[in-house]
Amino acid sequence: MGCLFSRRGKQRLQQPEGAGQEAAAAGQEKVPQYSWDQRAKIDPKDYTFSGLKDETVGRLPGKVAGQQFVIQDCENCHIYIFDHSATITIDDCVNCQIFLGPTKGSVFFRDCKDCKCVVACQQFRTRDCRKLEVFLCCATQPIIESSSGMKFGCFQYYYPELALQFKDAGLSIFNNTWSNIHDFTPVSEENNWGLLPEDAVVQDYVPLPSSEELQAVRISMDAAKSIIPVTHGRRQKSSDESCLAVFFAGDYTTANARKLIDEMIVKGFQLVQTKEVLMKAEDANRVFQQRASEFIPLLEKGPVVALEFNGDGAVEGCQSIINDVFSGTKV
């Protein structure tokens, strides 16, 4: 460490007028400023719904902004979280209708019964629940534990901010394992879960919000407009013929994939499942076989989007659409 002024013998340095004050100011230790000191203080009450009965409550886009959220001890309530969250826990809720926007981590229902929900998340879990009906988008295998009377359908929802919220939560709209349920505590000769009817309509389960504030969100429950492609899942296929289409990474991958889905559905084919995944050379050899060497260089650009369609004539129908609509596009 050094000092600002020094002295040799009895000699004194002459200081210009005001220099002493400047030196004193310079000698004062500055308090460091950290980014977390500048953040707005978080009040847990802003991210909690607790002890409500017969109410309609929610959060508008931008009001949760990736924080964790808690819902507990609510009865006969309509609850809407129109934003992305870190994690959400729902405890001891009865006869509630719940919409949860994209959740980066887990959504965990505990000790809930007779609830109807629309949920998008990385992980979905239930424990000690009864009679939940869930329109689900889940990136990993959903897990139920000590639960019964569970019914699942494919997430189908739209409002303008939802696509960006999926991105902020780190979720792909093409990775949805909603029907691949793992029952952690199965009971012999009993089935604790099943699938909702394929023609189930979200609005019949979780209606549009009735409060004036939440009505500002421009919602559509039309399956054709859903941010998440509505898939057939593990329901029984209508045909023995299926077709796999793969889109390589590019500026319009998502738009092109959605276009093919729309065209195939119009022709009467079922979208069984979708996947966005990084492919390796060994994956390409398995999928593309003799044409693998042609496509392996394209895999370096990013993840591919894979679509499985089912129906009589699916292969020919898909090839026809690709030739007519996607000429010049690597599919």
Side-chain angles (χ1 to χ4, degrees), residues 54-58 76-80 82 97 157 203 206-217 219 221:
D54 301 319
E55 293 191 42
T56 296
V57 294
N76 300 327
C77 289
H78 294 76
I79 299 171
Y80 305 86
F82 293 125
Q97 287 76 50
Y157 218 84
Q203 192 165 344
V206 182
L208 292 169
S210 58
S211 72
E212 184 175 350
E213 178 189 24
L214 298 176
Q215 286 177 353
V217 182
I219 300 166
M221 299 184 186

Side-chain angles (χ1 to χ4, degrees), residues 134-154:
V134 186
F135 290 87
L136 179 63
C137 173
C138 187
T140 57
Q141 186 176 30
I143 296 174
I144 65 173
E145 180 181 355
S146 302
S147 300
S148 62
M150 313 291 288
K151 299 288 185 182
F152 294 91
C154 183

Side-chain angles (χ1 to χ4, degrees), residues 267-282:
K267 291 183 177 294
F269 300 110
Q270 294 174 336
L271 178 63
V272 177
Q273 61 179 326
T274 64
K275 191 74 174 176
E276 183 172 9
V277 63
L278 286 167
M279 291 184 70
K280 300 178 180 179
E282 54 266 32

Side-chain angles (χ1 to χ4, degrees), residues 187-204:
V187 179
S188 179
E189 299 182 359
E190 292 186 21
N191 193 359
N192 292 320
W193 66 274
L195 303 182
L196 291 169
E198 192 164 6
D199 58 356
V201 179
V202 173
Q203 192 165 344
D204 293 339

Side-chain angles (χ1 to χ4, degrees), residues 247 251-261 307 326 329 331:
F247 286 83
D251 294 336
Y252 305 102
T253 301
T254 298
N256 287 337
R258 295 304 297 254
K259 179 64 175 177
L260 180 60
I261 292 170
L307 313 173
F326 298 101
T329 301
V331 185

